[in-house]
Amino acid sequence: MKGDFFLTTIAGLIFISGLIPYGIAICRRQSDPRKISWLIWSILDSVIFAGMINQGTVNAQIAAAFLGNWIIFFLVLKFGYPGWKRMDMFCLGSAGVGIILWMIFRDSNFGISTCLAANLIGSYPTFASAWKNPQSENGLGWMIMWVGCLIQIAAVKHWTFAEAAQPLVFLSVQSTMMYILFVRPLFKKRVVR
């Protein structure tokens, strides 16, 4: 496992622990996440996990995401936002292109990069849904996962693409959700006053 072993283990444990309140909120129908984002994240994190294993740069955060995202996806299938939209299909297609490009070029770094790019695109439906209705997402879960991302960044020892790209992309997704769920509502309250 690459990076500082202690920090990356803590980051992985914190990241997966953030999925616990998120999953509970889904089961209680207190959260209404977009299934397309979770499907895309699950598929792509599986590919990224395989690529990082191939490069010898796997960390506990991607291992936690690989396992946890599949669990959340199946919960979202049962309890989550119904139906599929055109944007959902575009994002899923982008994820498919990323996987196909990796299979064509057979380069782990290229596969990691295309899948991380598709991962960002696949985040858009969740960003858009949370932007319209921040209560549709579990803030506690996102906050815990964001803390895990910060710790994973601190765990990176060698700032190579294979080791640092995944933690940076995960941090950018989590930070965007932190802004949408916690910072943006503060600005809206100030404008209303």
Side-chain angles (χ1 to χ4, degrees):
M1 199 162 295
K2 279 293 193 176
D4 180 283
F5 182 77
F6 176 75
L7 286 178
T8 195
T9 302
I10 296 299
L13 291 172
I14 290 173
F15 190 87
I16 203 153
S17 71
L19 294 173
I20 294 169
Y22 198 90
I24 291 169
I26 292 168
C27 292
R28 292 181 178 168
R29 297 193 187 270
Q30 297 169 335
S31 182
D32 194 16
R34 296 299 301 259
K35 66 183 166 189
I36 190 65
S37 290
W38 286 97
L39 174 61
I40 290 170
W41 291 332
S42 297
I43 292 169
L44 294 176
D45 287 351
S46 299
V47 175
I48 294 164
F49 182 66
M52 291 177 76
I53 287 173
N54 190 43
Q55 289 290 320
T57 59
V58 73
N59 60 55
Q61 182 186 46
I62 190 64
F66 165 71
L67 173 65
N69 288 356
W70 280 109
I71 293 168
I72 294 296
F73 170 68
F74 289 115
L75 290 174
V76 172
L77 268 183
K78 183 166 174 83
F79 302 106
Y81 189 85
W84 299 85
K85 295 185 177 187
R86 190 181 324 211
M87 178 54 71
D88 296 342
M89 294 296 104
F90 170 78
C91 292
L92 186 59
S94 298
V97 168
I99 293 169
I100 290 168
L101 287 173
W102 183 28
M103 291 167 53
I104 290 170
F105 291 101
R106 301 253 184 233
D107 179 276
S108 296
N109 278 337
F110 185 75
I112 291 169
S113 65
T114 57
C115 288
L116 287 172
N119 199 311
L120 287 171
I121 293 168
S123 300
Y124 177 78
T126 294
F127 294 160
S129 176
W131 188 270
K132 290 178 189 169
N133 181 15
Q135 289 75 30
S136 69
E137 291 291 333
N138 181 267
L140 176 61
W142 284 105
M143 184 181 298
I144 293 169
M145 289 184 283
W146 180 71
V147 170
C149 289
L150 292 173
I151 294 169
Q152 185 59 51
I153 291 294
V156 174
K157 279 189 173 181
H158 306 288
W159 285 88
T160 62
F161 179 81
E163 189 171 337
Q166 173 269 317
L168 288 170
V169 169
F170 275 37
L171 180 62
S172 68
V173 169
Q174 305 302 324
S175 295
T176 301
M177 285 304 291
M178 294 301 291
Y179 173 79
I180 292 170
L181 298 177
F182 297 105
V183 177
R184 182 174 174 260
L186 294 175
F187 288 117
K188 286 176 76 174
K189 285 180 184 176
R190 285 186 182 172
V191 172
V192 172
R193 289 182 185 178

